[in-house]
Amino acid sequence: MKTTIAEIGKYVGQSVTIGCWLANKRSSGKIAFLQLRDGTGFIQGVVVKAEVGEEIFKLSKEITQESSLFVTGVVREDDRAPSGYELTVKSVEIIHEAKDYPITPKEHGTEFLMDHRHLWLRSKRQHAVMKVRNEIIRATYEFFNEQGFVKVDPPILTGSSAEGTTNLFHTKYFDEDAFLSQSGQLYMEAAAMALGKVFSFGPTFRAEKSKTRRHLIEFWMIEPEMAFMDHEDSLKIQEEYVSFIVQSVLRNCKQELAALERDTTKLENVIAPFPRITYDEAVEMLQKDGHEIEWGEDFGAPHETAIAEKFDKPVFITHYPAEIKAFYMKPHPDRPEVVLCADLIAPEGYGEIIGGSQRIDDEELMKQRFDEHNLSLDSYQWYLDLQKYGSVPHSGFGLGLERTVGWVCGTEHVRETIPFPRLLNRLYP
Ligand code: 4AD
Ligand code: MG
């Protein structure tokens, strides 16, 4: 019977064959332990010389790391094994022999691993991170589908910028100038006016010269946009969504979180509602703790971490000064110097995972903002139409997938949370 490691529990006591690779091995004179992986999981194959005979035992001892194999054996339950099962090997067939696999079980430096990212993905830790990433994506679709959102795909090649012009990737679009999307938001606002509640999930690009553990040049964002929803309504959706994805990972990725040695007690706590503080309160908190920050300045990573440390759940910081936020955010009706926005800061030093706001829905104010931000009306004419034809209160937000995966997995750097990271100085592999 041909099966996979993930399905192997259905065949206890039976003989099965799996296509797999050799991740690692150790052996003595009479017994060999093969660490096998097939993409769906990891399992130990035990080869006993007295049972398989001289020839298969010799072959088993000589298999090189990452050689591909067909292994046949009997499935046994084993409480000590991470997967819960072990394979008593009966025979081994080598499909392809790998020679000198560069990533050996010893420690390697980060740059070396990054140069071999195409192979590094096979390791147990990286495998676990990719599975958690997949679960967060799956849970995202489940959550928004259940809430009646429609998935909409904004363009990646655009003629306009959503998040300011300083970090745009420029390219030629035949004879015109074009940019890689920084955010699908403006298009999602148009889609919300057509479909009510919408969400997107796609790659976004920022030519940011930032070399931090939180910044990627290419990252994936989930961007919901909701007609007839104000700032408050949006915060509720955000906290429910983040709780939902964290609880889904806890439920469905137990083996992966164990492989990552993630302290899950901190994640179990992530249940809505989340605490909220205003930007004003955050500045006061920081000043009290001796940080040098004045009202009107944006927060850096150390500020976000200091604030997050005061809470045991993600925390919303609301009502930032309009000056330091994007042009489309709606001013507070009683305090026009601040906007109806919030950043969601993850616990444990992972920083901002969501940025969102209620949007301006008044044509005159929008035009004024275009002036103030020196944005040309040529490429935004279509966007102003949204204020002209049946404008409504609406809100939305963007969740950075990689920062969220990094937090849930407890990775040190966001580079491990995407299959092939694009970083400052890295376009290979
Ligand atoms: O705060 P940002 O820039 O917000 C927007 O782009 C809005 N237009 C979203 C919206 O309202 N539809 O980015 C949103 C999130 C951040 O909170 C962060 O999680 C992530 O995207 N992000 C990055 N992740 C990795 N690398 C980068 N360089 C990132 N820049 C933003
Ligand atoms: Mg932001």
Side-chain angles (χ1 to χ4, degrees):
M1 174 72 68
K2 215 170 178 177
T3 189
T4 60
I5 295 171
E7 299 281 303
I8 219 156
K10 293 182 187 161
Y11 304 98
V12 175
Q14 298 179 43
S15 179
V16 298
T17 299
I18 52 171
C20 55
W21 292 266
L22 183 81
N24 202 353
K25 67 164 193 264
R26 73 199 155 80
S27 59
S28 66
K30 298 185 194 124
I31 190 160
F33 299 99
L34 310 179
Q35 307 306 326
L36 306 171
R37 57 167 203 89
D38 74 343
T40 75
F42 291 77
I43 196 168
Q44 173 163 275
V46 183
V47 195
V48 180
K49 188 175 174 182
E51 284 177 24
V52 297
E54 197 75 51
E55 198 183 323
I56 289 178
F57 189 70
K58 184 164 177 289
L59 179 76
S60 299
K61 276 179 76 165
E62 286 170 1
I63 305 170
T64 52
Q65 191 189 349
E66 285 306 318
S67 287
S68 46
L69 319 162
F70 283 121
V71 173
T72 301
V74 176
V75 182
R76 286 199 311 109
E77 246 169 313
D78 183 347
D79 292 343
R80 290 159 308 167
S83 66
Y85 303 97
E86 208 175 64
L87 203 59
T88 304
V89 176
K90 298 293 170 203
S91 72
V92 176
E93 179 196 330
I94 296 183
I95 303 169
H96 177 256
E97 190 185 335
K99 291 197 186 79
D100 303 322
Y101 186 69
I103 307 178
T104 60
K106 68 164 199 192
E107 289 256 327
H108 294 281
T110 302
E111 283 308 298
F112 178 85
L113 291 170
M114 291 296 287
D115 284 340
H116 294 87
R117 181 63 177 168
H118 51 296
L119 303 176
W120 189 25
L121 277 175
R122 301 180 184 194
S123 77
K124 202 167 199 168
R125 235 188 103 77
Q126 300 308 312
H127 179 267
V129 175
M130 289 305 124
K131 292 290 287 281
V132 171
R133 179 182 169 105
N134 178 64
E135 175 59 18
I136 293 177
I137 295 168
R138 191 205 62 72
T140 293
Y141 279 80
E142 184 184 339
F143 179 83
F144 287 112
N145 282 330
E146 272 183 9
Q147 301 265 342
F149 284 65
V150 178
K151 166 94 185 336
V152 170
D153 306 312
I156 289 170
L157 283 168
T158 67
S160 59
S161 80
E163 292 300 313
T165 47
T166 49
N167 56 22
L168 279 174
F169 266 108
H170 180 237
T171 182
K172 272 301 199 204
Y173 193 76
F174 306 107
D175 295 332
E176 283 179 69
D177 286 316
F179 308 98
L180 296 183
S181 176
Q182 296 167 303
S183 157
Q185 181 194 319
L186 306 186
Y187 295 96
M188 296 308 287
E189 288 184 58
M193 301 308 139
L195 294 150
K197 292 193 287 186
V198 292
F199 76 106
S200 67
F201 171 52
T204 46
F205 306 84
R206 307 266 169 107
E208 276 177 300
K209 295 262 159 73
S210 306
K211 206 174 171 183
T212 79
R213 60 193 197 89
R214 298 172 180 181
H215 283 90
L216 289 163
I217 304 300
E218 179 178 305
F219 66 98
W220 286 63
M221 196 157 35
I222 291 121
E223 294 190 272
E225 195 67 36
M226 304 156 288
F228 307 107
M229 292 246 191
D230 63 17
H231 173 62
E232 255 316 299
D233 299 328
S234 176
L235 293 189
K236 283 213 183 73
I237 294 276
Q238 292 175 46
E239 60 194 8
E240 278 167 25
Y241 168 46
V242 171
S243 306
F244 187 83
I245 53 184
V246 170
Q247 296 307 317
S248 296
V249 171
L250 283 171
R251 203 168 45 246
N252 300 326
C253 295
K254 292 200 174 77
Q255 272 188 47
E256 287 78 11
L257 293 170
L260 292 163
E261 295 173 348
R262 181 69 168 105
D263 174 2
T264 52
T265 55
K266 297 213 166 100
L267 297 177
E268 277 153 18
N269 215 16
V270 179
I271 294 176
F274 297 162
R276 296 166 193 197
I277 59 169
T278 62
Y279 170 87
D280 299 0
E281 289 166 335
V283 170
E284 247 176 63
M285 266 183 192
L286 290 167
Q287 286 173 340
K288 228 185 242 162
D289 290 352
H291 290 269
E292 281 196 18
I293 185 149
E294 295 298 324
W295 197 96
E297 289 174 36
D298 205 357
F299 298 138
H303 300 127
E304 288 177 353
T305 302
I307 292 165
E309 272 169 5
K310 300 190 186 290
F311 302 91
D312 57 1
K313 289 185 188 187
V315 53
F316 285 113
I317 305 178
T318 67
H319 303 95
Y320 282 71
E323 281 280 312
I324 54 171
K325 286 291 180 190
F327 74 91
Y328 49 72
M329 294 188 178
K330 191 179 172 78
H332 191 294
D334 308 323
R335 273 184 77 192
E337 74 279 14
V338 301
V339 282
L340 299 176
C341 75
D343 283 356
L344 183 66
I345 314 298
E348 301 174 71
Y350 286 90
E352 177 201 326
I353 53 169
I354 292 185
S357 72
Q358 187 164 341
R359 320 304 193 187
I360 291 176
D361 48 27
D362 174 78
E363 192 185 359
E364 283 318 304
L365 179 59
M366 190 60 98
K367 279 188 180 152
Q368 190 187 317
R369 285 287 194 267
F370 273 86
D371 275 353
E372 290 164 7
H373 289 257
N374 284 322
L375 296 166
S376 135
L377 281 178
D378 296 350
S379 45
Y380 285 99
Q381 208 55 58
W382 66 270
Y383 182 63
L384 287 177
D385 278 353
L386 306 181
Q387 264 88 52
K388 212 178 272 163
Y389 304 114
S391 187
V392 298
H394 63 289
S395 302
F397 61 94
L399 173 130
L401 178 64
E402 288 76 18
R403 288 202 194 160
T404 307
V405 174
W407 162 48
V408 172
C409 290
T411 63
E412 221 171 272
H413 195 294
V414 80
R415 67 182 160 231
E416 285 184 58
T417 64
I418 183 163
F420 295 98
R422 299 301 175 228
L423 300 160
L424 199 62
N425 307 329
R426 180 168 293 281
L427 194 56
Y428 180 92

